[in-house]
Amino acid sequence: KLEKSISALKGHYIICGFGRIGSVICAELHAEKIPFIVIEESPAKNEELENEGHLYLNMDATSDEALVKAGIETARGIVTAVSSDADNVLIALTAKGLRPDIFVLSRSSDIKNEAKLIRAGASQVVSPYVIGGRRMAEVLKRPTVVDFIDIAMANSRIGLVMEEARVGAGSSLIGKNLIESNLRKDFGVIIVAIKNPSGDMIFNPQPLEKLHAGDVIVVLGKKEDVGRMNDIL
């Protein structure tokens, strides 16, 4: 049954490692109903994975066989979150060798290894200890700003979320500026930024900024309103 479910996966994420970082990533994806599969070599994690209802493989994530079995050909991206930076480098190299266009998000325990992970093919590298340290410093320096970000980024009781939405090729909003789009009027969202297909980011876009196919809009608003807006986009 497990293998049948795995073979049906498409547009999913492959999470390599179910340790402290990997388990948090899985919990977040599971809460948003985003499909994923875990590759975890240690059988000691099986009971926890089964209790959480996650799809998983007991295999070595550095091997071609494991990534192929996890559906790398149809995956949306791969996360290398094992504890060893050397293994994360090897997983990134293996993933890129099997599928050069795959998005690879890598964990780095030592900030000095970030460059190595990028050279190995990681699309983006995150250093949890560096982020954690900066976050703690921000709480000391700017506690109100941190509170606001928590409300916007985490599941809060008031239902406010910061979300991104892509302008589809068939959207009726293509070519319209932000005033003409009526996004704020119809959905009550605040448009924080627009990222165009070339990767350029426009922060606090002006009312006359036009929308184009492939643009990604970053908005702040109520979860249900953002969901309705996504349908229009």
Side-chain angles (χ1 to χ4, degrees):
K1 185 179 177 181
L2 184 66
E3 288 183 358
K4 189 176 180 181
S5 298
I6 292 169
S7 64
L9 282 172
K10 285 184 181 179
H12 60 292
Y13 288 104
I14 300 170
I15 313 300
C16 301
F18 194 69
R20 287 175 294 179
I21 301 298
S23 59
V24 172
I25 294 170
C26 291
E28 292 291 323
L29 295 179
H30 185 73
E32 293 291 327
K33 295 182 172 55
I34 296 171
F36 65 90
I37 181 171
V38 179
I39 302 178
E40 172 54 58
E41 193 170 15
S42 172
K45 299 282 185 179
N46 288 6
E47 186 177 353
E48 186 181 352
L49 285 160
E50 287 171 10
N51 289 339
E52 295 295 336
H54 301 331
L55 292 176
Y56 68 93
L57 293 170
N58 272 144
M59 299 181 76
D60 177 4
T62 64
S63 71
D64 291 27
E65 184 187 0
L67 297 184
V68 169
K69 196 166 185 180
I72 192 170
E73 286 302 321
T74 58
R76 189 174 172 185
I78 181 169
V79 179
T80 71
V82 297
S83 57
S84 163
D85 283 355
D87 283 345
N88 284 325
V89 167
L90 188 52
I91 295 168
L93 282 168
T94 305
K96 284 292 186 178
L98 291 169
R99 193 178 139 199
D101 67 326
I102 190 80
F103 175 81
V104 179
L105 175 61
S106 290
R107 166 196 171 167
S108 172
S109 297
D110 190 334
I111 195 169
K112 292 183 289 187
N113 292 326
E114 284 190 20
K116 293 177 184 176
L117 283 158
I118 294 293
R119 288 199 300 271
S123 312
Q124 210 164 322
V125 179
V126 174
S127 299
Y129 299 115
V130 173
I131 291 175
R134 286 175 181 165
R135 167 61 186 260
M136 292 176 76
E138 288 300 319
V139 171
L140 299 177
K141 296 187 295 181
R142 289 178 275 270
T144 305
V145 173
V146 173
D147 284 346
F148 172 76
I149 291 171
D150 280 346
I151 290 171
M153 298 301 294
N155 293 323
S156 69
R157 59 185 178 275
I158 62 173
L160 191 67
V161 295
M162 188 173 284
E163 188 60 91
E164 63 179 60
R166 185 180 299 275
V167 180
S171 174
S172 61
L173 300 183
I174 293 172
K176 292 183 179 179
N177 60 40
L178 294 181
I179 295 176
E180 295 166 339
S181 71
N182 287 328
L183 290 177
R184 180 159 191 168
K185 178 184 172 184
D186 293 344
F187 305 105
V189 297
I190 298 170
I191 299 173
V192 179
I194 298 174
K195 182 180 179 182
N196 60 42
S198 67
D200 292 332
M201 187 84 75
I202 303 166
F203 293 98
N204 189 24
Q206 298 303 303
L208 296 180
E209 189 70 44
K210 288 190 175 182
L211 298 173
H212 306 91
D215 282 351
V216 177
I217 303 173
V218 180
V219 301
L220 184 65
K222 294 292 184 70
K223 188 160 189 168
E224 58 271 20
D225 293 333
V226 173
R228 291 190 300 115
M229 186 195 73
N230 257 317
D231 296 336
I232 299 297
L233 290 170

